[in-house]
Amino acid sequence: MNLYNLAKQFPSEEHALAHLMKVRWPGGITCLYCGHDKCWLTESKNKSGKPRRVFQCAKCKMQFSATTGTLFHDSHLPLTKWFAAIALMAEAKKGISAAQLGRHIGMTYKTAWYVCHRIREAMREIDPEPLGGKGKTVEVDESFVGGTESGKGRGWTTQSAKVRVLGIAERGGRVHLQSVSSLKNEEIKPILDAKIDPETEKIATDGATRYLALIPAEKHERGNHAKEKKTGKPISNQTIEGAFSLFKRGLIGQYHQLSSWHLDRYLGEFCWRFNRRGMQPWIFGMTLNNMVCRRPLPYKKLIEF
Ligand SMILES: [Zn+2]
């Protein structure tokens, strides 16, 4: 959803709250603590003195708000700003930096950073279907990302400062990217086993010999870039290479100081959006749904590493 339509659909905080409640309680409000379906609306004030809408359960008397226990938990930011942030992140094909998001919506870098991470948490795939399947081809490849060291100028990189990322893609379909500490068989094999459907017909890799021990010979489609270029045949790892290059272009443009600890969260966000290309009109709704269904992400948890 673009910002114009968003502002039309949710012109005020009231509209945004009504929508959020509909998403959270499609069958009508129920108590978060005992499940009772009679709750009274009471107006109270938050720490900064602003009015806060709180519900009180008629049975257990516990109080809660529409955002209690969700990824919006404890946020003082208006919902209309949250909705704008979700829309911007859902639309940004290559990602959007916290600094840019903060400038667009009007919030400090620190707030924007935290907002981005909470939305990213909503964009994390949980137990996705394995990639591939009967009659399908899956591509496997790896790449280095990140690695700009501060104080040495942009573009100054060392291999050791970069993080190795393993990529698996259904040809023409979904992708999975995750950081790995090495390309040793004992690290890669469990990932391939978990992420690739055993019925997959072909598994394509580049010419590297490291995959010979990991992929059964009858399924293995080993590419040769130089030969493919010469004969004009399409590159065998087109989908996964496309995903890597899109992620890196976003990385270069947006995240100059990406920490390797957070890399998997950024990769998760990227895959979530990439795997929903063509579903653009629904991405905002899907993200919002996860924002209210998933548990809070405390700030402390993000900075503790
Ligand atoms: Zn109750």
Side-chain angles (χ1 to χ4, degrees):
M1 182 161 7
N2 63 43
L3 291 182
Y4 176 76
N5 288 336
L6 191 80
K8 249 182 28 188
Q9 201 174 332
F10 307 110
S12 73
E13 206 49 21
E14 291 294 300
H15 288 84
L17 181 66
H19 183 71
L20 189 86
M21 287 180 59
K22 230 193 268 168
V23 174
R24 186 164 198 191
W25 293 292
I29 186 165
T30 52
C31 172
L32 295 184
Y33 302 92
C34 74
H36 190 63
D37 62 0
K38 277 205 173 55
C39 303
W40 317 119
L41 178 67
T42 59
E43 293 274 349
S44 78
K45 292 214 157 93
N46 66 17
K47 284 176 207 158
S48 49
K50 285 187 184 153
R52 183 171 171 256
R53 301 184 94 188
V54 174
F55 301 97
Q56 182 166 19
C57 174
K59 197 173 161 197
C60 73
K61 309 284 184 244
M62 292 293 277
Q63 289 193 336
F64 57 91
S65 78
T67 56
T68 302
T70 69
L71 281 167
F72 298 103
H73 192 82
D74 252 354
S75 167
H76 302 304
L77 207 66
L79 281 175
T80 42
K81 286 200 175 192
W82 268 108
F83 281 19
I86 295 169
L88 283 171
M89 276 179 80
E91 285 287 330
K93 212 171 151 196
K94 290 183 283 176
I96 180 164
S97 70
Q100 205 178 340
L101 194 89
R103 281 196 298 274
H104 278 314
I105 301 177
M107 49 188 167
T108 65
Y109 175 76
K110 193 180 165 186
T111 302
W113 184 87
Y114 189 22
V115 162
C116 285
H117 271 296
R118 293 205 239 180
I119 297 171
R120 203 160 279 133
E121 179 67 13
M123 291 179 163
R124 193 162 57 85
E125 300 275 15
I126 294 177
D127 291 332
E129 292 274 305
L131 299 165
K134 232 179 189 163
K136 290 184 177 163
T137 299
V138 163
E139 304 170 358
V140 179
D141 201 359
E142 74 285 331
S143 187
F144 281 103
V145 302
T148 306
E149 288 195 350
S150 55
K152 299 220 164 109
R154 211 201 275 181
W156 194 97
T157 59
T158 61
Q159 206 74 334
S160 62
K162 291 184 165 203
V163 182
R164 211 187 284 263
V165 174
L166 180 72
I168 306 169
E170 207 173 88
R171 189 165 286 168
R174 292 174 301 136
V175 300
H176 169 77
L177 306 178
Q178 79 175 78
S179 69
V180 288
S181 55
S182 76
L183 291 175
K184 287 186 180 148
N185 289 0
E186 59 265 36
E187 184 166 359
I188 304 303
K189 188 160 188 320
I191 303 174
L192 298 186
D193 287 347
K195 298 293 173 191
I196 303 176
D197 188 316
E199 302 244 24
T200 300
E201 192 157 312
K202 290 270 174 222
I203 300 176
T205 68
D206 58 17
T209 53
R210 71 174 68 92
Y211 294 108
L212 293 176
L214 291 166
I215 299 166
E218 68 277 12
K219 286 190 176 187
H220 197 178
E221 198 180 279
R222 246 179 109 196
N224 181 333
H225 277 195
K227 207 167 149 194
E228 282 161 0
K229 251 187 198 161
K230 224 187 254 168
T231 57
K233 253 179 73 186
I235 304 288
S236 48
N237 271 357
Q238 236 171 359
T239 308
I240 194 62
E241 286 187 0
F244 271 135
S245 95
L246 187 61
F247 179 75
K248 286 184 189 177
R249 268 183 282 153
L251 200 72
I252 292 161
Q254 315 291 349
Y255 313 114
H256 300 309
Q257 295 158 340
L258 174 67
S259 84
S260 64
W261 187 82
H262 285 118
L263 181 63
D264 277 314
R265 304 184 55 82
Y266 289 94
L267 288 169
E269 173 203 341
F270 174 84
C271 292
W272 200 88
R273 213 173 18 233
F274 188 92
N275 294 343
R276 282 161 185 77
R277 59 201 190 278
M279 301 184 214
Q280 211 52 40
W282 299 282
I283 294 187
F284 174 83
M286 288 175 187
T287 315
L288 189 65
N289 196 51
N290 285 352
M291 289 291 295
V292 300
C293 292
R294 294 189 179 172
R295 311 297 304 155
L297 178 67
Y299 187 74
K300 241 175 92 185
K301 202 177 150 192
L302 278 170
I303 53 167
E304 241 172 30
F305 59 92

